[in-house]
Amino acid sequence: MNDWWADFYNDTIAELFLVRDEAAELDFLVERLELRPDFLVYDQCCGIGNLAIGLARRGFRAVGADLCAPYIERARRDAAGLPCEFSCADAFTYRPPESCDGAYNWYSSFGYADQDARNLEMLRRAFESLKPGGRFALDFLNAPAVYRDFKPRMERGSPGGPRVVRECNIDVLRGRLEQRWTTTNAAGRCSERTSSVKLYPPHQLAELLRDAGFRDIELLGSVTGTAVNVESPRCIAVGRKP
Ligand SMILES: C[S@@+](CC[C@H](N)C(=O)[O-])C[C@H]1O[C@@H](n2cnc3c(N)ncnc32)[C@H](O)[C@@H]1O
């Protein structure tokens, strides 16, 4: 599959998946990245910028980068007057111009490439974005729970739209979650797209963070800080740049 993520994201996906109450996620980031007032934080693959904007509202400075130009335009509009800057950029290569005190890659924005070495590059860019001592959080699917609770079809939204229907398959030989998304926008227009994410299990996420240079790696199962296990909704790996 080509770089499916380059033209995958649209307004319907933003409305149904990215717009959310992010208070608990922000609490987690402030605590686990050990953020102090005025610290600069990098939101890698920031989507519509809601976490970066939330942090800016809480007294931090934020920079975000995402490949999706309409999402970046929306983030810039929503961040007017806040200490937040957004770049339309590829996180496999992009580093913020100023070294940051903390960084995160949130809500399954990782593991898209076929090659592990390419995915690792994204973590290396996060590592390079930090000052020594800075912390990074990677919020990812909890692969054991995805296997355990596998559902071949999922729906979100309302019949009149916006709506997303996902038909899902796990390619167990490649260890990837493959999904066909049928999105219907508010005007009733339908479109189809596919996604593919490598189901890195928790221990492998920790290895990838280690390979990128991070140390003191912890694996958590949710934003409440519980340890990760087979039932956890998420796997959040947190590491520190020595
Ligand atoms: C599931 S969304 C999550 C967005 C955001 N992190 C959040 O918490 O809502 C994944 C985002 O990653 C972005 N993305 C995927 N690959 C990227 C890349 N190589 N460089 C920059 N952004 C990327 C997509 O455009 C999309 O906005």
Side-chain angles (χ1 to χ4, degrees), residues 96-155:
E98 190 183 335
S99 293
C100 299
D101 302 288
Y104 54 90
N105 176 308
W106 206 257
Y107 208 43
S108 313
S109 307
F110 178 74
Y112 293 3
D114 272 338
Q115 310 85 351
D116 296 336
R118 193 166 175 215
N119 290 323
L120 176 60
E121 283 306 301
M122 196 178 276
L123 300 183
R124 288 196 205 281
R125 296 299 87 73
F127 183 84
E128 292 159 2
S129 77
L130 286 170
K131 295 175 186 167
R135 289 177 187 273
F136 171 66
L138 173 66
D139 167 51
F140 194 62
L141 302 162
N142 182 30
V146 174
Y147 280 96
R148 197 187 83 131
D149 305 329
F150 177 72
K151 292 181 192 67
R153 184 184 158 94
M154 289 189 267
E155 291 186 35

Side-chain angles (χ1 to χ4, degrees), residues 5 9 20 45 47 66-67 71 89-92 106-107 109 112:
W5 56 92
Y9 287 92
R20 58 192 189 267
C45 301
D66 200 283
L67 211 47
Y71 285 5
D90 187 343
F92 285 117
W106 206 257
Y107 208 43
S109 307
Y112 293 3

Side-chain angles (χ1 to χ4, degrees), residues 28 35 58-59 64 86 91 207:
F28 177 92
L35 301 182
R58 290 187 181 202
F86 293 101
E207 275 166 28

